[in-house]
Amino acid sequence: MLSFAKIFLMTVEQFFKHLLEELESHPTLKGYYRFLNDSKSFEFRKAYYVQRLEYIEQQVKNVNGPIWDIGCGYGTTAIFLALNGYKVHGSTLEYYFSEIPQRLEFWKKYGDISGFTFDYENLYDSTPPKEHYAAVIVQDTLHHTEPIDEALKIIKSCLEQNGKVIAVEENGNNWIQSLKLYKQRGNKRIIEYHDERLGKTILLGNENIRSYAHWKSLFEKEGFKMVDDSVHYVRLYPPMLFKGATESIVAKEQRIWRSNRFLKERFFFGLNFCAFKP
């Protein structure tokens, strides 16, 4: 069967413009995303956000079935995909859940978002879907998910054959971020968290970021096929260099990680990659 790349109804740039409008009237989101908190870091933060969403956009273009957004948070990525015609189910925990209905009221004026459904749900308690997912998105989620081997088993069981995992993560090999996290949590990479709504204590990865090589080992152990040419690194330069030169800085960063393994592994902050259920 032929597969055709989807034409997006709303671009990432258009979506980001509307997102800024929403932040102006939504204090909780404004504090979370921090785009409007400091004009000096605006381009820096925008570049990071936009590149990650563009990565997801590229990876779902040939996805022709339902998507599961695990750890969807406020539902931002799921809303973007729903506006572009995808059927997306989001799972989230904590305070994010109560904010989503207000968000839907804002976004429905820009298109049909009926394809987005969501639940307050712990991955390990999730019921097997009636239909398998064509893709699973884990954005800033894997490093909070423990035990990770059990999580990958669940994800694999919910994917259709040749279904795709799209992972958007932090680079666990980054020396600066690793030192910062070590100062915050030491070696305590897994903690317990009591969820009032669920009425139970669950394990939580304590910013348990990993390198691509480490993720690859974990995924392959559970029978996934890694896509090495899908790997993508984001963010090298500090905020002050972005002002007025965002496009050239981003282009330079993209050239550097492709040609300099040391800088890619040790100084790039963001890491994106994909895996398939063979």
Side-chain angles (χ1 to χ4, degrees), residues 186-206:
N187 280 322
K188 196 172 184 181
R189 290 176 170 265
I190 302 174
I191 58 176
E192 290 186 339
Y193 164 76
H194 185 75
D195 189 289
E196 295 292 341
R197 187 186 289 260
L198 294 176
K200 64 188 292 187
T201 298
I202 59 179
L203 289 181
L204 189 70
N206 190 13

Side-chain angles (χ1 to χ4, degrees), residues 154-168:
I154 293 169
I155 291 171
K156 187 181 176 188
S157 71
C158 293
L159 277 171
E160 63 184 34
Q161 295 300 318
N162 294 315
K164 178 190 287 190
V165 179
I166 303 167
V168 177

